[in-house]
Amino acid sequence: MSTAALIAAASILLAPSATVATPSLPQSTPQPAPQSAAPAGPTIRDGVAFSRLTVADGDQPAIEAGVWYPAETAAAPRPLIVVSHGNGGDFRSHRDTVQALAKAGFVVATLTHTGDNWRDQSRATDIVGRTRQLSVLIDHMLGQWDGRAGIDADRIGAFGFSAGGFTVLAAAGGDPDLMRLVDHCRANPAFYDCRLVGQHSETMNNGQDAPRLPHDARLKALVVAAPALGFTFTREGLAHVTQPVQLWQAGADQILPSPFYVEPVRDALPRPPEYKRIDGAGHFDFMPPCSPELAANAPMICAPTPGFDRAAFHERLNSEMIRFFKTHL
């Protein structure tokens, strides 16, 4: 299997589908177009300031991003949290969580992954690009953002959901073994992700090892929820992810089902994570409760999980995340 084929095969699991994709905002959901003009000044609500950013990315398209931070001036630099969304999402995908983190005293920067968002899936196979873009966002926040003097560069954390969970683990030092995708799908041919791989059998040719993904030693603490491709991480592959990790699992996850995604990560991390399995939760319960408009356009991610209170869960999720980052950053 060639390097390009391995990346393509692995990212099939992250690619959009009408029934099993893991988007934060589906492509069919109408949303405002990104601003092309210079970003406006910050807006302030409930003590939290928000600015929309355009982040230069060398010869690549500029990255759409957003930053939330306490409106009140701090006596000392604040920790920075960067956020990676799931496939098909954008920088607003976890708006309630980032607002809660900002209200608790963190600077929170989120990005829209280039070519892997609700408007554009042209680079959904670019898992290397995803991890690199997270570092570009950190570079911007520390080097170009107007409020960079208010960030403590030694206290940087990351939160990732689904494909974003994979991204955060890889960026923090993880080296996935994408060849494990072949055995995984041989053993589980009925899994929807594996049926997708079967539709792309041309990627399953003989070849060489997959590349290492870009790493960023500046990440000091991680929150990972329902990570995609978890089975590709071995003990050797996660040996360098020694940061504190808070790992969340949806007990009724039908998109990334047990025991193939969260458990391999939990068991392979060299430092036991703060592991939280939420019985009764579905995959999309890690996303905020939907507005009526979004619910009408995206029933897959908005449909209530029977017997589960998403709003109440998010109060716990946000509180636990704030506690974890305050403890480890």
Side-chain angles (χ1 to χ4, degrees):
M1 184 181 293
S2 69
T3 291
L6 277 165
I7 295 173
S11 62
I12 287 169
L13 302 184
L14 310 181
S17 161
T19 57
V20 301
T22 56
S24 296
L25 291 173
Q27 291 175 273
S28 59
T29 304
Q31 296 288 333
Q35 298 174 349
S36 57
T43 59
I44 299 175
R45 182 177 179 181
D46 296 331
V48 173
F50 164 74
S51 294
R52 194 163 183 164
L53 307 179
T54 299
V55 177
D57 188 17
D59 60 355
Q60 300 296 310
I63 297 172
E64 177 186 44
V67 56
W68 287 257
Y69 53 98
E72 187 175 271
T73 303
R78 301 181 185 275
L80 169 68
I81 309 296
V82 291
V83 178
S84 176
H85 62 74
N87 166 254
D90 74 2
F91 73 96
R92 300 163 293 184
S93 292
H94 299 278
R95 59 191 180 278
D96 70 318
T97 296
V98 300
Q99 289 168 351
L101 286 165
K103 201 164 188 177
F106 297 92
V107 177
V108 188
T110 70
L111 79 166
T112 299
H113 283 289
T114 303
D116 185 3
N117 57 72
W118 65 269
R119 293 182 299 267
D120 179 11
Q121 286 287 292
S122 63
R123 294 166 65 173
T125 62
D126 189 7
I127 58 175
V128 174
R130 261 184 162 265
T131 58
R132 185 190 60 76
Q133 290 160 19
L134 203 64
S135 291
V136 170
L137 178 63
I138 296 173
D139 291 343
H140 178 87
M141 294 302 297
L142 297 182
Q144 286 80 45
W145 183 52
D146 289 344
R148 57 190 178 275
I151 294 176
D152 186 339
D154 293 324
R155 294 191 291 164
I156 301 177
F159 165 55
F161 163 66
S162 197
F166 172 88
T167 300
V168 165
L169 286 168
D175 290 309
D177 178 3
L178 299 182
M179 286 297 293
R180 295 172 71 87
L181 177 63
V182 178
D183 289 339
H184 172 78
C185 289
R186 284 174 180 162
N188 304 285
F191 277 27
Y192 199 97
D193 50 16
C194 294
R195 295 203 300 271
L196 286 177
V197 170
Q199 295 170 11
H200 296 263
S201 58
E202 71 276 6
T203 65
M204 296 300 183
N205 299 321
N206 294 327
Q208 301 176 0
D209 293 337
R212 289 177 179 263
L213 274 67
H215 297 161
D216 197 320
R218 294 172 294 187
L219 295 176
K220 299 299 194 298
L222 318 173
V223 175
V224 176
L229 299 173
F231 59 86
T232 65
F233 287 111
T234 64
R235 287 185 181 273
E236 181 181 3
L238 289 179
H240 298 294
V241 182
T242 57
Q243 303 93 325
V245 176
Q246 187 181 73
L247 180 64
W248 293 81
Q249 179 173 22
D253 196 328
Q254 295 180 326
I255 303 299
L256 302 178
S258 175
F260 302 99
Y261 299 91
V262 177
E263 290 91 339
V265 172
R266 179 197 64 193
D267 297 340
L269 284 166
R271 176 176 181 171
E274 182 180 304
Y275 170 61
K276 298 182 180 297
R277 177 186 168 96
I278 308 302
D279 292 334
H283 186 73
F284 298 112
D285 286 317
F286 287 109
M287 297 176 60
C290 297
S291 66
E293 180 184 9
L294 182 57
N297 285 283
M300 180 179 69
I301 66 173
C302 295
T305 301
F308 190 80
D309 188 333
R310 188 185 294 200
F313 167 59
H314 271 252
E315 291 184 8
R316 177 186 173 187
L317 173 69
N318 297 343
S319 176
E320 290 289 315
M321 198 180 302
I322 289 167
R323 175 195 54 76
F324 175 82
F325 280 132
K326 282 190 172 182
T327 299
H328 296 290
L329 290 178

